[in-house]
Amino acid sequence: MAHHEGNDMSKSVDDRPDWDTYFMDIAHVVSRRGNCRRRKVAAIVVADRRIVSTGYNGTPRGVRNCCEGGCERCASDVPSGSDLSSCICCHAEENAITQAAYHGIRLKGATIYVTISPCLTCAKMIINAGIVEVVYGGDYAFNEQTRKLLAEAGVACRTYVPGPLARESAVAAEACCQTGAPAAKPGKPA
């Protein structure tokens, strides 16, 4: 191994994000693709620390995007949480799971990272897809029934808790996405 002048490897610090932060940061970028007018949500399915599928919320394949008027409910002024049966948008978890199926990707034993907690319908899909762990950001419709169902099926569920570098990493990633410039490493100028 070559020694580089002024580069003392014994003092190096691993300032990379932990795996949860890495995947949640990517999920937040994916959520920006969501075309639902009400909420931007994403899901990343990971197996062996590799992303095998992604999904974001929006209208089904081949249907006009929500932001183009594809979903009448989302284009209306109905209060959040009401008239959900008329919404044609798919949830991020649903899209990540169906994208994997569409491309013949097995999800058994995988982990799903979601920017908000799954609803009951998505929890059932997570269970039936063979996903064994859910890591989620904020709460959405994560009620006691959903928690019990996942627990009974043996699906581990936990709230994402940012690591020490997560906040700085997220700020740097957001700056990169907005400007197109390389993101600065946490604690270092760009």
Side-chain angles (χ1 to χ4, degrees), residues 12-34:
S12 68
V13 175
D14 187 356
D15 60 354
R16 300 176 305 158
D18 59 68
W19 287 108
D20 282 352
T21 300
Y22 175 72
F23 292 124
M24 287 302 279
D25 282 356
I26 293 170
H28 283 285
V29 172
V30 171
S31 74
R32 294 176 46 213
R33 288 283 309 153

Side-chain angles (χ1 to χ4, degrees), residues 172-173 175-177 179-185 188-190:
C176 172
C177 292
T179 65
K185 290 189 176 183
K188 298 178 183 174

Side-chain angles (χ1 to χ4, degrees), residues 1-148:
M1 179 191 291
H3 174 75
H4 296 291
E5 193 65 37
N7 187 7
D8 185 355
M9 296 303 280
S10 65
K11 293 182 183 176
S12 68
V13 175
D14 187 356
D15 60 354
R16 300 176 305 158
D18 59 68
W19 287 108
D20 282 352
T21 300
Y22 175 72
F23 292 124
M24 287 302 279
D25 282 356
I26 293 170
H28 283 285
V29 172
V30 171
S31 74
R32 294 176 46 213
R33 288 283 309 153
N35 66 67
C36 179
R37 296 176 137 199
R38 301 266 177 150
R39 188 182 313 265
K40 303 277 188 195
V41 182
I44 305 284
V45 184
V46 175
D48 298 320
R49 294 189 175 161
R50 300 288 178 256
I51 297 170
V52 296
S53 187
T54 66
Y56 48 84
N57 59 331
T59 54
R61 178 189 312 271
V63 175
R64 254 182 323 144
N65 285 334
C66 186
C67 54
E68 297 167 337
C71 179
E72 291 180 22
R73 179 198 171 268
C74 290
S76 73
D77 59 358
V78 299
S80 180
S82 63
D83 198 22
L84 294 175
S85 63
S86 68
C87 181
I88 65 168
C89 291
C90 301
H91 286 188
E93 304 93 322
E94 178 182 8
N95 275 331
I97 292 167
T98 57
Q99 275 296 332
Y102 185 83
H103 293 286
I105 299 168
R106 179 182 168 161
L107 301 182
K108 184 177 181 182
T111 297
I112 190 166
Y113 288 83
V114 193
T115 54
I116 59 174
S117 60
C119 69
L120 181 61
T121 300
C122 288
K124 292 185 280 186
M125 291 183 73
I126 288 165
I127 293 164
N128 284 338
I131 293 170
V132 297
E133 183 178 28
V134 176
V135 181
Y136 65 93
D139 281 330
Y140 169 57
F142 204 46
N143 61 29
E144 194 58 31
Q145 182 183 22
T146 304
R147 286 181 209 278
K148 283 181 180 179

